[in-house]
Every structure is written in structure tokens, then in C-alpha cells.
């Protein structure tokens, strides 16, 4: 089998600092800026590359892979969304086999473009870190990406696979801290507990090892199978176990109350309201009883009726949108503190519904009449 092409997308890298921890460093193609020099401390990109090198050495894979580091920053200036897009396009155009990415964006308006680039090829597996604070993160939440996060529990298997995860992140890893990380922490004085960023390179090395051993190109489904052993018996995650406390500046939640069954027509109408807000530059999430599969690109999520309050509170914390619509029957959710309960909405025009909601929250209501 040919060499596996691996790319790390991260902040700038300082190869000279890697020499403090490795006696022999394999060739690394650093694009587009080249190696950073004379920077104090140690960069996030250098840390992730060091973890990947150590994991590859432990798996005896050096010499069987080609390495590229794509720097989305030069000398640690602020990261930009366009730099991330350029990096993903580079990986697709250069037919990378596996991409380790420990950065991302939380704004869902960018999800569609990121997804379009990644899903344009079936030759590249993207392995991406979830946000450390539990917020929905892209590309980790995308269905074409293998999302990874660290387990807070240390008495669980090395890898657990979440079915239908509420954050789109399938792999929950319980891995020991790498020895090179411990050395870096002592030398550069920092701590890395529970950082999802530093798990991804280790997961990538494991996938590369399995890919070479089985002489098969890594896909998302195969990678899940390799990590967990049996794709048919995945561990079911507790969907809302990691919901956080909502900040004071919380997203408004509007209930679209239904007094009867939620038919396909009613759901379609709720989706049109959501789309209308999106078009008005008020990014909007829809949480609905009748949704079966979460859509992290469109911002449409399943309402778990057995844990309705937890479910709504979870999405209020993790999404980055301007408001959340909850489509539910009146008897499903009792005494939940909605910001606005809209009971008589079903027969109104879409424009009227949006106007009334915006007026409720003192927004400008210049919405043209339309259905």
C-alpha cells in the first residue's frame, strides 16, 4: 500500500522546538507560510504536530506516511474563517488521505460552505475536534466528518461511539496524556486537561495504523468500526448529559404550540418560518418533536419528549443562533419558561408570524408580506 498522506490544519508550527523532544524528525511539508521562527512559548500547531509524531512513532508508522502541516496563521496572528476554508480546499485538491483538525468555527452560517468543500470528495477523511466548552462546532458536527472529543470519565473504554449524538460528535476518547505533552507542559509551563484538540492527532494515528494493516482507505464508517471494534454494538450516549449552565445573555426560545398532532404540513410551515428568519439574517434553530435526525447544517434538531426541558436547555446553550423555535404539542411541555408561547400561529402569514415574534423582542419589523 502507498504512503498515507496526512495533513494537520492548525496554527503556525515551529519545527526547531520539536527538536527538543525528538532526535529524528521526518520530512514535513509546511504550507503556505513555512516554519515560524523566534516566537515565545510554544504554538498550538507545534503541540498537535508533536503529539501526532509521537503517536506515529509508537505505531511504527514513520516512513509509511507523508506529513503536511497547513498553517492557518503566520506567526500566531488571529485565525480567520477564510484561512480555514483555504486549508480545507488545499487538502481536498491535494487528495490528502487523513486530515487532523483541532480548530473550527461555531457560527452555523459557515457550515454549508465547509460541508460543501469536505463532501466534494470521498478520498479524504476529516477528523475534527469538538469545542472544549460543548458548543456546536464546525466541521466537527458535520455528518461527513469524524468528530472527536475527550471523555470526562476515566473508567470508560478508550473509545466510545455515540449514536445520533446531540452535538454531531461520534467519538468519545479516553486516552492517556502523551509523554511528549507532559514534557512540553513542564518545559513551557501550561496545562492541557480535557482539551479535545490534543486527542485528535492520537486518533488519527490509530486510524492510519488500521488503514495500513488492513490495506483499506479510511472512511468515516470504517474508522468508527476500527476504533470501537464492532460498529453494530455502539454505546448509546446519554444525549444531554453534558448540557451546561446557560449564560445570562441567553438565546430567546419561542414555542410554536400545537393543540393537535404535528402533521407534515405543520412541520413544513415551521421550517418556512425558520428559513424566513435565516433569510433576514436572524439565524434560527428549530427544535421539533417529529424530527428524527438532527440536521447540523440547517439547524434543525429533534426534541426529545422524554427529556424536553433538558433538551431545550441544551440547545439554548450549544447553538450560536439568534433565536430558537420549539415546535411541540401543548401537552408535551408543561410549565417550561419559554420567552414567548405562540398559540394561534398556524393560520397566519409567515411574515405576520415573524413580525409578531420580532416585535415581542423589540426588533425592527420591516418584513415584506409573503407566505
Amino acid at each position: 500500500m502507498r504512503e498515507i498522506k496526512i495533513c494537520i490544519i492548525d496554527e503556525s508550527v515551529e519545527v526547531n522546538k520539536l527538536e527538543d523532544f525528538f532526535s529524528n524528525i521526518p520530512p514535513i511539508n509546511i504550507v503556505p507560510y513555512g516554519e515560524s521562527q523566534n516566537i515565545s512559548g510554544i504554538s498550538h500547531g507545534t503541540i498537535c504536530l508533536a503529539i501526532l509524531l509521537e503517536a506515529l512513532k509508537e505505531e511504527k508508522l514513520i516512513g509509511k506516511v507523508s506529513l503536511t502541516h497547513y498553517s492557518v496563521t503566520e506567526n500566531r496572528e488571529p485565525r480567520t474563517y477564510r484561512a480555514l476554508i483555504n486549508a480545507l480546499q488545499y487538502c481536498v485538491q491535494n487528495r490528502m488521505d487523513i486530515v487532523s483538525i483541532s480548530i473550527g468555527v461555531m457560527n452555523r452560517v459557515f457550515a454549508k460552505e465547509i460541508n460543501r468543500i469536505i463532501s466534494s470528495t470521498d478520498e479524504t477523511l476529516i477528523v475534527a475536534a469538538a469545542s472544549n466548552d460543548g458548543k456546536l462546532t464546525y466541521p466537527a458536527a458535520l455528518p461527513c466528518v469524524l468528530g472527536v472529543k475527550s471523555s470526562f470519565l476515566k473508567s470508560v473504554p478508550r473509545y466510545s461511539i455515540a449514536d445520533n449524538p446531540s452535538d454531531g460528535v461520534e467519538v468519545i476518547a479516553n486516552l492517556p496524556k502523551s509523554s511528549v505533552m507532559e514534557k512540553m507542559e513542564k518545559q513551557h509551563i501550561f496545562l492541557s486537561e480535557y482539551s479535545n484538540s490534543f486527542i485528535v492527532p492520537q486518533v488519527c494515528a490509530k486510524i492510519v495504523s488500521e488503514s495500513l494493516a488492513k490495506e483499506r482507505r479510511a472512511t468515516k464508517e470504517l474508522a468508527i468500526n476500527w476504533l470501537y471494534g464492532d460498529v453494530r454494538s455502539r454505546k448509546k450516549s446519554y444525549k444531554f448529559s453534558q448540557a451546561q449552565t446557560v449564560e445570562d445573555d441567553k438565546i430567546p426560545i419561542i414555542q410554536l404550540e400545537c393543540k393537535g398532532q404535528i402533521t407534515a404540513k405543520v412541520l413544513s410551515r415551521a421550517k418556512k418560518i425558520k428559513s424566513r428568519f435565516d433569510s433576514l439574517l436572524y439565524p434560527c434553530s428549530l427544535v421539533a418533536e417529529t424530527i428524527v435526525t438532527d440536521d447540523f447544517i440547517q439547524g434543525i434538531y429533534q426534541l426529545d419528549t422524554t427529556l424536553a426541558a433538558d433538551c431545550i436547555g441544551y440547545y439554548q446553550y450549544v447553538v450560536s443562533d439568534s433565536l430558537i423555535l420549539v415546535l411541540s404539542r401543548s401537552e408535551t411541555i408543561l410549565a417550561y419558561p419559554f420567552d414567548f408561547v405562540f398559540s394561534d400561529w398556524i393560520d397566519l402569514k409567515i411574515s405576520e408570524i415573524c413580525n409578531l415574534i420580532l416585535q415581542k423582542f423589540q426588533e425592527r419589523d420591516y418584513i415584506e408580506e409573503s407566505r
Side-chain angles (χ1 to χ4, degrees):
M1 190 174 179
R2 64 169 175 79
E3 285 186 335
I4 290 183
K5 297 165 67 175
I6 307 172
C7 182
I8 283 188
I9 297 175
D10 213 301
E11 295 177 353
S12 56
V13 65
E14 304 120 328
V15 174
N16 62 310
K17 291 181 179 176
L18 293 175
E19 295 171 354
D20 295 337
F21 307 100
F22 300 98
S23 56
N24 295 303
I25 299 175
I28 302 169
N29 180 32
I30 301 175
V31 293
Y33 305 113
E35 180 185 354
S36 296
Q37 301 286 346
N38 302 321
I39 298 177
S40 61
I42 189 165
S43 72
H44 190 276
T46 304
I47 295 171
C48 289
L49 181 55
I51 294 171
L52 177 63
L53 286 174
E54 181 181 63
L56 292 173
K57 286 178 179 290
E58 289 177 350
E59 297 281 353
K60 297 181 172 55
L61 299 176
I62 300 296
K64 299 179 182 180
V65 299
S66 64
L67 297 173
T68 297
H69 186 285
Y70 192 106
S71 301
V72 295
T73 62
E74 183 178 14
N75 296 327
R76 298 198 215 167
E77 76 274 18
R79 298 194 297 259
T80 67
Y81 170 69
R82 185 47 49 188
L84 173 61
I85 290 299
N86 292 340
L88 292 170
Q89 289 174 331
Y90 174 89
C91 291
V92 170
Q93 292 166 0
N94 288 274
R95 303 174 71 175
M96 295 294 167
D97 295 298
I98 295 177
V99 176
S100 171
I101 178 167
S102 297
I103 58 176
V105 295
M106 295 181 187
N107 196 327
R108 186 176 55 80
V109 300
F110 300 128
K112 187 175 292 186
E113 183 179 15
I114 294 173
N115 185 72
R116 178 182 57 77
I117 294 169
I118 295 173
S119 60
S120 66
T121 179
D122 60 0
E123 298 183 7
T124 302
L125 173 63
I126 308 288
V127 185
S131 168
N132 288 328
D133 63 4
K135 304 274 189 179
L136 293 187
T137 310
Y138 305 94
L142 296 176
C144 58
V145 170
L146 185 65
V148 176
K149 63 184 175 183
S150 178
S151 172
F152 288 97
L153 303 175
K154 298 308 175 186
S155 59
V156 296
R158 287 174 65 87
Y159 298 104
S160 301
I161 307 301
D163 275 332
N164 192 25
S166 55
D167 57 0
V169 177
E170 296 89 355
V171 177
I172 306 168
N174 175 28
L175 302 178
K177 185 180 294 186
S178 66
S179 61
V180 71
M181 173 61 73
E182 292 179 341
K183 294 175 183 176
M184 286 182 167
E185 286 180 334
K186 291 178 181 178
Q187 183 165 326
H188 294 279
I189 312 175
F190 67 91
L191 294 175
S192 61
E193 290 296 330
Y194 302 120
S195 177
N196 297 324
S197 298
F198 306 141
I199 296 294
V200 174
Q202 295 174 277
V203 174
C204 285
K206 175 64 175 176
I207 294 171
V208 170
S209 178
E210 294 290 338
S211 179
L212 287 168
K214 294 175 172 57
E215 297 187 348
R216 298 190 67 180
R217 179 178 59 82
T219 64
K220 177 177 177 177
E221 201 63 27
L222 281 175
I224 288 175
N225 193 11
W226 294 339
L227 292 173
Y228 196 60
D230 185 352
V231 75
R232 293 167 298 178
S233 60
R234 304 177 193 173
K235 179 181 177 180
K236 181 68 176 179
S237 66
Y238 179 51
K239 192 167 186 178
F240 309 109
S241 62
Q242 293 186 23
Q244 308 289 326
T245 301
V246 178
E247 302 102 334
D248 292 336
D249 186 20
K250 60 184 180 181
I251 301 171
I253 299 179
I254 297 92
Q255 182 187 25
L256 298 177
E257 186 181 43
C258 290
K259 295 182 172 60
Q261 292 299 312
I262 299 176
T263 63
K265 182 179 179 180
V266 170
L267 177 60
S268 174
R269 192 157 177 76
K271 288 181 178 179
K272 289 178 180 178
I273 299 169
K274 178 224 174 306
S275 297
R276 183 67 171 165
F277 278 118
D278 286 339
S279 70
L280 293 167
L281 303 182
Y282 293 102
C284 177
S285 293
L286 174 63
V287 183
E289 284 188 46
T290 51
I291 297 298
V292 176
T293 303
D294 297 325
D295 187 334
F296 295 97
I297 300 172
Q298 298 299 326
I300 299 175
Y301 312 105
Q302 178 190 48
L303 174 61
D304 187 334
T305 56
T306 64
L307 296 165
D310 289 341
C311 177
I312 296 168
Y314 173 85
Y315 284 111
Q316 189 177 39
Y317 176 79
V318 302
V319 303
S320 60
D321 291 345
S322 299
L323 69 159
I324 298 173
L325 301 176
V326 176
L327 179 63
S328 62
R329 293 166 295 162
S330 53
E331 65 269 22
T332 298
I333 307 172
L334 301 176
Y336 187 84
F338 289 106
D339 295 287
F340 180 34
V341 176
F342 209 149
S343 300
D344 302 318
W345 62 277
I346 195 67
D347 294 322
L348 298 178
K349 293 180 179 180
I350 299 296
S351 59
E352 292 174 329
I353 296 169
C354 293
N355 269 327
L356 287 168
I357 291 174
L358 291 177
Q359 288 173 8
K360 178 69 177 177
F361 297 100
Q362 298 180 335
E363 298 285 0
R364 301 181 70 179
D365 55 349
Y366 299 150
I367 304 177
E368 65 183 13
E369 290 292 321
S370 65
R371 283 192 179 274

